[in-house]
Amino acid sequence: MVRVSFPLLLAVALVLVAVGCDSVTAYDRYAHTPLSGWEKNDTLTFDIPAMTGNGTYHEEVGLRVNGAYPFQQLCVVVEQQLLPRGYRRADTLNMVLQDADGHVHGRGVNYYQYHFPLANMQLNRGDSLHVTIRHNMKREILTGVSDVGFRLSAMKE
């Protein structure tokens, strides 16, 4: 019988995990919306800390909705401020949640999870981001949206 020590087994597992990754998640957070509904003037804020290295980063908006959400799409405005340079950028993202026949594009049963690509951004060591997300729908209060998130992943070059 071959005896393998726990530290050796742990080291091998960590190496396998590190080799198997295509990108490294630098930031991934969700903000909850009120149970009563996401108001149009309720802006969600994400403060991404300073980057530890230079590179190209992929941005995504995450979304969790339930059956109470009444529409097939959700339009959001994503505003970003790159610090310390002060560069500002605003994007409008139209997220299609289901097709015309009502087939859901997200994953889940009671709550559906979605990920929508936003942009790729070149960031330098020490750069940080201040991101705000608000909905841009005609209805003032949206029911059924439980969480909105922002993910930033370093892309391998």
Side-chain angles (χ1 to χ4, degrees):
M1 181 170 160
V2 176
R3 193 174 249 181
V4 178
S5 69
F6 179 75
L8 178 62
L9 187 61
L10 181 62
V12 170
L14 289 174
V15 168
L16 290 174
V17 169
V19 170
C21 296
D22 290 336
S23 66
V24 177
T25 301
Y27 182 87
D28 189 6
R29 300 282 187 282
Y30 278 80
H32 301 293
T33 59
L35 292 174
S36 59
W38 185 16
E39 293 186 35
K40 196 166 195 161
N41 61 358
D42 185 13
T43 301
L44 305 172
T45 303
F46 303 90
D47 287 307
I48 294 91
M51 297 292 108
T52 57
N54 300 334
T56 303
Y57 290 82
H58 177 70
E59 300 174 320
E60 280 186 353
V61 173
L63 181 67
R64 293 183 189 126
V65 300
N66 62 32
Y69 186 71
F71 304 110
Q72 294 177 334
Q73 300 179 21
L74 173 61
C75 183
V76 297
V77 175
V78 181
E79 295 176 325
Q80 302 179 55
Q81 181 179 9
L82 177 62
L83 302 168
R85 293 184 257 168
Y87 170 77
R88 291 181 181 265
R89 171 179 155 171
D91 295 293
T92 301
L93 185 59
N94 189 30
M95 302 182 285
V96 177
L97 309 179
Q98 52 183 270
D99 61 23
D101 295 326
H103 296 106
V104 176
H105 292 231
R107 300 182 75 184
V109 179
N110 292 330
Y111 282 85
Y112 298 98
Q113 174 77 47
Y114 299 88
H115 295 281
F116 297 95
L118 183 62
N120 291 333
M121 179 179 271
Q122 184 68 36
L123 296 173
N124 299 320
R125 182 179 181 171
D127 285 349
S128 62
L129 285 171
H130 175 75
V131 178
T132 60
I133 300 176
R134 61 183 166 79
H135 80 77
N136 193 30
M137 302 290 283
K138 289 183 180 182
R139 187 177 282 186
E140 287 294 318
I141 299 175
L142 295 179
T143 57
V145 177
S146 65
D147 303 284
V148 178
F150 186 82
R151 181 187 312 182
L152 187 67
S153 302
M155 299 173 61
K156 285 191 175 182
E157 298 188 24

